[in-house]
């Protein structure tokens, strides 16, 4: 019989809901796997290549300096593809979690994804740790940046402020993450984490769940495959975001939702 509380813990959706339901400040951190069920491929999945080019070459300053046209071509394709994808039930259910997580608990949503599927699923706000796929910015960092999700036209002009070449606004391999979302997470001071569809390999976002687990805080992982984080996760739920999240969120929110329904049923009917 296992005596270690970690071993004894149920590795089930029920067990995960029990752990996360006790949190007062729940951080939900999503990676590329979260959008895979909506049809947006992960980088490491398949063969990790686009037209025989490695993702690390396309999503890096070196790659952009070598062949800006190629990088922009890849971004156009991704922008157009994401625009044709719809949020899946797992993403939609996170909007419910944000609204109905038992009070006084709160939920903070953060993602390393650059797509806008969580926003389109009704999640608000979403902290984008790696920027947005639809942002175009000055490559000389003069501060010029626009949201360019209409027709990509902003990618075809020089920076209107300083004349330098413009580049996609994503955070690339080897670049610093924007400070604001990391500050917002630190200020939120999460006491639990739900990690969905992340390989836990891309730093520094990948440090957050292990640090929390080392501090003894509950961290639940949803991923069809084992990750470097799995061995220290409180619970690893093996499956896809689309299949697992709706049931987990239902367990976490149904008490609040039922309470609200009962309350509205017993509220006096206005004359
Ligand atoms: P990653 O580090 O986020 O890893 C993807 C993880 O998702 C893997 O561990 C994989 O096992 C898991 N996964 C695959 N299908 C899943 C599913 N259906 N449900 C749950 N989990 C699933 O991502 P990466 O692919 O190595 O990409 C690195 C970075 O590139 C990302 O952090 C992001 O910045 C960017 N990226 C963004 C998008 C997007 O915006 N949708 C897509 C690919 C990559
Ligand atoms: Zn500029």
């Amino acid at each position: 019989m296992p005596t270690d509380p970690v071993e004894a813990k149920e590795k089930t959706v029920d067990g995960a809901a029990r752990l996360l339901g006790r949190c007062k400040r729940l951080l939900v951190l999503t990676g590329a796997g979260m959008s895979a069920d909506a049809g947006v491929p992960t980088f490491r999945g398949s063969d990790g290549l686009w037209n025989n080019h490695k993702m690390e070459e396309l999503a890096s300053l070196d790659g952009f300096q070598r062949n800006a046209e190629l990088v922009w071509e890849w971004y156009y394709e991704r922008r157009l593809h994401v625009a044709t994808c719809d949020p899946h039930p797992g993403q939609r259910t996170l909007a419910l979690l944000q609204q109905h997580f038992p009070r006084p608990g709160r939920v903070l949503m953060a993602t390393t994804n650059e797509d806008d599927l969580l926003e389109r699923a009704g999640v608000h706000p979403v902290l984008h740790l790696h920027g947005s796929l639809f942002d175009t910015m000055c490559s000389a960092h003069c501060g010029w940046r626009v949201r360019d999700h209409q027709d990509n036209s902003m990618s075809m002009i020089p920076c209107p402020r300083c004349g330098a070449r413009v580049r996609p606004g994503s955070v690339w391999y080897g670049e610093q993450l924007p400070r604001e979302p990391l500050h917002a997470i630190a200020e939120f001071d999460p006491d639990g984490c739900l990690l969905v569809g992340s390989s836990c390999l891309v730093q520094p976002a990948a440090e957050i769940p292990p640090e929390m687990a080392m501090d003894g805080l509950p961290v639940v992982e949803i991923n069809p495959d084992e990750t470097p984080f799995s061995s220290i996760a409180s619970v690893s739920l093996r499956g896809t975001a689309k299949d697992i999240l709706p049931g987990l969120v239902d367990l976490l929110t149904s008490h609040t939702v039922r309470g609200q329904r009962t309350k509205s049923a017993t509220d006096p009917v206005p004359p």
Side-chain angles (χ1 to χ4, degrees):
M1 284 287 286
T3 47
D4 176 346
V6 176
E7 267 185 72
K9 216 158 23 222
E10 291 168 77
K11 307 287 184 193
T12 62
V13 175
D14 284 5
R18 262 197 291 282
L19 277 177
L20 298 181
R22 290 183 210 129
C23 297
K24 294 284 169 280
R25 297 174 307 280
L26 176 65
L27 172 68
V28 179
L29 183 56
T30 72
M34 179 66 168
S35 296
D37 284 330
V40 183
T42 65
F43 286 177
R44 275 163 238 278
S46 59
D47 50 8
L49 296 174
W50 179 78
N51 285 359
N52 290 324
H53 297 277
K54 279 191 179 162
M55 298 304 173
E56 281 84 350
E57 285 169 23
L58 296 163
S60 71
L61 192 57
D62 274 1
F64 184 73
Q65 281 164 347
R66 260 196 305 273
N67 193 341
E69 285 71 27
L70 179 81
V71 171
W72 268 118
E73 203 186 318
W74 181 57
Y75 267 82
Y76 295 149
E77 191 174 291
R78 291 176 66 208
R79 286 178 174 184
L80 286 172
H81 179 66
V82 164
T84 65
C85 296
D86 289 320
H88 61 72
Q91 289 169 318
R92 294 190 189 283
T93 213
L94 286 186
L96 287 178
L97 182 68
Q98 215 174 24
Q99 286 164 25
H100 300 297
F101 191 64
R103 301 288 177 247
R106 287 176 295 137
V107 177
L108 185 71
M109 298 284 173
T111 184
T112 57
N113 292 343
E114 304 144 80
D115 64 60
D116 59 351
L117 287 163
L118 284 175
E119 283 88 346
R120 285 199 270 135
V123 181
H124 177 80
V126 182
L127 300 178
H128 283 271
L129 300 175
H130 290 180
S132 162
L133 181 59
F134 300 99
D135 275 2
T136 296
M137 70 177 199
C138 173
S139 65
H141 297 282
C142 77
W144 181 84
R145 176 186 283 265
V146 283
R147 183 58 49 98
D148 192 12
H149 54 306
Q150 295 299 325
D151 54 9
N152 289 317
S153 56
M154 291 303 194
S155 65
M156 296 164 196
I157 55 163
C159 170
R161 202 179 282 175
C162 75
R165 195 190 265 277
V166 298
R167 55 162 273 186
S170 312
V171 179
W172 283 336
Y173 290 100
E175 291 185 329
Q176 298 264 332
L177 264 58
R179 276 198 223 121
E180 297 78 12
L182 288 176
H183 276 168
I185 293 175
E187 223 163 80
F188 184 67
D189 187 22
D191 61 357
C193 177
L194 173 61
L195 176 67
V196 189
S198 171
S199 64
C200 251
L201 289 171
V202 184
Q203 300 293 352
E207 280 168 11
I208 299 172
E211 277 176 6
M212 290 181 65
M214 299 294 203
D215 285 345
L217 298 171
V219 186
V220 170
E221 171 187 68
I222 298 178
N223 200 310
D225 297 325
E226 197 169 325
T227 71
F229 175 67
S230 300
S231 59
I232 53 167
S234 315
V235 179
S236 279
L237 298 171
R238 288 278 162 262
T240 65
K242 170 172 71 67
D243 290 344
I244 293 189
L245 270 173
L248 177 63
V249 170
D250 187 49
L251 287 172
L252 284 168
T253 58
S254 54
H255 188 70
T256 325
V257 173
R258 262 202 309 275
Q260 282 167 356
R261 284 221 192 94
T262 319
K263 186 173 172 300
S264 61
T266 54
D267 279 349
V269 182

